[in-house]
Amino acid sequence: MTATPGYGVTLRGVTQRFGDTVALDGVDLEIRPGTITGLLGRNGSGKTTLGSLVAAFRRPTSGQVLVDGEDPWENERTAPGVCLVRESGDVLDEDRLRDNLDFFAGARPTFDRAFAAELMDLFELDPKSKPSKLSRGKKSAFGITIGLASRAPLTVLDEVHLGLDAPSRYAFYDALLADYLAHPRTIVLSSHLIEEIERLLEDVVVLDRGRVLLTQDADSLRAEGVSVTGPQDAVDAFVAGRTVLGTQRLGRTAQVTVRGGLTDADVARARATGLDLGPVPLQDLFVHLTDPRRRDGAAPAHAESEVLP
Amino acid sequence: MSTATASRTVATGRRTSPLTHALRRQLGVAAYLAGWYWAIALVVLLVATLIVWRVNGAVDVSVVAYARQSAIWFPFSQAILLVAALLRPHLAAGMTRRTFVRASLVTAVSTGLGYTLVLSALLLVERALHTAVGWDAEILEQGFELTGRDFPAMVAELGPALVLANLCGLLVGVVYHRFGGWWGTVTLPLTVLPIVATLALAGEWFGSLPALDGVLSGPADAPLLTGAVLVVVTAGAYAALTRSTPVRTPR
């Protein structure tokens, strides 16, 4: 058993094929124990496959998956401590919600029935209803209830927000954060709503077409993106030689998003030339990084755009 | 985000063993369905007996014997559903395929034996009642011969087919789960073969094989011996397929 809260995850050269489709391609990855890690990627990037491998829902075609230092496949020790909640839901469809809770609570040593009841109330779930009769949003809410109340040392929440309305999503984020602080563990959160979840994330993994595009702690990643705004000539001169992620022009004013940290000298130079420096939301970085044109070596879709006055 | 002062989360809570938990769930479903099945079956058998009596003035056939086919194929379909409905939630709840295989095999064999005991008991009760009122209890179903006259002999004759029906159901279920609808259907002749073979060989064909002269001590040994071999083969095939099956995403 690990001495840190939660299970860590290691993938070494993991490839997963489905016929001719390569869902994961030689993935090397470390997920630190006791963190909330955002698993980001476009549709079909391999997020769900990665979650399935970690939860031993399937075995990789090649490579090694380790959970808390051990192969999770048919592992009696790690299995009760790994909880994957998929968008599709893996519950007893024709049983009442309360019977589902009994079933999952009986199998999970860390399951908290009182917390499950709180979450059921929070999401206004009727214990007498059946999953097969629930709306998309309510199904998601029930998946979240099981995922959080399980308090598994490794919890993977894969697109569990689907169908949830905004108040329910924010209630979920608040509940997740509060419970994580009270009961630290490893949580992997996969979502397309990066703007909404970025405040929760400590680490970020970006998958793109089955490969790890980057893995980094969220704070340093945010610090790597800088928007430079000012006169076009001054902006062009400042960003020369830097990694430009995107450009927008309005008349003679330009705003350029660059990747890479700035030194104090860079900041002073920008200010001296009348340039404004600002942060870049994680979502913008994600969009730029996973732009298919950038990936294929062509000009990124958003790299050059002009907004007319 | 600081977690320095927060408590440590470890999987050290107490719980029943995964096998006990899975068994409780699976046996509970099987017992619930068996209760409904036999309640309905009893009513149907009673009504059928009354109708034959009113029409013919006597009931010289075993009406209960007609329940054998449904006692085979209802649990068979139930076992298919057991895999379809429970395997994904079982794994999602943090239990292993090994546990699922053990629990489902115990459930399948228990269900088959349970149905065998009830069917045998009903056949004996029917015989006793018919004898008391001066009726016969002939079995008219082609290929179904029941030579045993006492309870153990009947159980030995009926048991293999009823147990295998449950095991074949599991096998069919996991093939559908693992390989999808097309392959699940194409391989049905293979996955249902054990139960069909047992039903066929339980008749006079098996007992007439010269090679088994002297090997079998009585008529009940043929289906029992065949059944035992097929039970092991079917359970082995089911376990091998389930232990390595991925979890498919439902559509």
Side-chain angles (χ1 to χ4, degrees), chain A residues 7-305:
Chain A
Y7 292 166
V9 176
T10 303
L11 275 72
R12 293 183 187 139
V14 169
T15 295
Q16 179 68 59
R17 295 177 187 276
F18 298 103
D20 294 334
T21 304
V22 181
L24 291 175
D25 187 7
V27 168
D28 292 304
L29 177 65
E30 291 276 348
I31 294 176
R32 291 189 298 145
T35 59
I36 299 181
T37 298
L39 185 59
L40 312 179
R42 297 164 63 95
N43 293 331
S45 60
K47 303 187 297 296
T48 299
T49 302
L50 194 150
S52 296
L53 293 175
V54 167
F57 275 26
R58 60 172 59 250
R59 298 192 94 157
T61 309
S62 63
Q64 188 179 35
V65 178
L66 297 175
V67 171
D68 203 27
E70 296 180 12
D71 184 347
W73 181 260
E74 292 291 89
N75 188 321
E76 300 278 3
R77 183 183 76 79
T78 60
V82 181
C83 178
L84 168 64
V85 181
R86 303 191 295 178
E87 167 255 320
S88 53
D90 298 300
V91 295
L92 304 166
D93 287 325
E94 297 304 326
D95 283 36
R96 292 173 178 174
L97 299 190
R98 67 178 173 211
D99 296 330
N100 266 280
L101 291 179
D102 287 341
F103 177 70
F104 283 90
R108 298 274 186 200
T110 49
F111 198 95
D112 187 330
R113 286 301 303 261
F115 185 42
E118 281 179 36
L119 292 168
M120 294 280 284
D121 288 342
L122 179 69
F123 294 121
E124 298 176 327
L125 292 166
D126 179 2
K128 296 192 293 294
S129 56
K130 295 180 178 179
S132 60
K133 306 293 182 191
L134 296 178
S135 67
R136 173 71 269 178
K138 293 292 186 189
K139 279 183 184 172
S140 295
F142 188 56
I144 288 167
T145 299
I146 290 173
L148 293 185
S150 292
R151 290 210 178 116
L154 173 59
T155 304
V156 183
L157 303 171
D158 181 22
E159 303 286 357
V160 292
H161 61 274
L162 290 181
L164 282 181
D165 54 27
S168 297
R169 289 202 303 276
Y170 283 93
F172 159 49
Y173 304 142
D174 291 343
L176 184 151
L177 192 55
D179 196 59
Y180 170 75
L181 290 171
H183 303 276
R185 53 202 191 264
T186 309
I187 294 176
V188 178
L189 190 55
S190 161
S191 173
H192 287 121
L193 303 177
I194 301 168
E195 279 182 334
E196 292 186 4
I197 66 166
E198 76 165 286
R199 70 185 169 101
L200 306 171
L201 305 181
E202 296 171 276
D203 287 353
V204 174
V205 174
V206 179
L207 289 178
D208 189 39
R209 289 208 292 195
R211 297 186 177 201
V212 176
L213 202 58
L214 69 83
T215 171
Q216 200 167 341
D217 71 275
D219 287 339
S220 70
L221 180 60
R222 286 188 198 98
E224 281 198 9
V226 180
S227 70
V228 183
T229 309
Q232 186 175 320
D233 293 344
V235 169
D236 288 344
F238 184 80
V239 302
R242 300 179 191 275
T243 304
V244 175
L245 298 177
T247 302
Q248 287 186 316
R249 299 186 191 284
L250 180 61
R252 290 197 54 77
T253 300
Q255 183 182 61
V256 176
T257 304
V258 296
R259 188 180 177 203
L262 299 181
T263 63
D264 290 343
D266 290 331
V267 174
R269 184 180 142 220
R271 285 179 179 156
T273 51
L275 297 177
D276 289 330
L277 302 177
V280 178
L282 208 54
Q283 174 146 308
D284 289 2
L285 276 172
F286 170 76
V287 170
H288 289 306
L289 289 168
T290 58
D291 191 304
R293 296 191 191 186
R294 167 173 295 282
R295 185 178 53 206
D296 298 335
H302 299 93
E304 195 75 31
S305 61

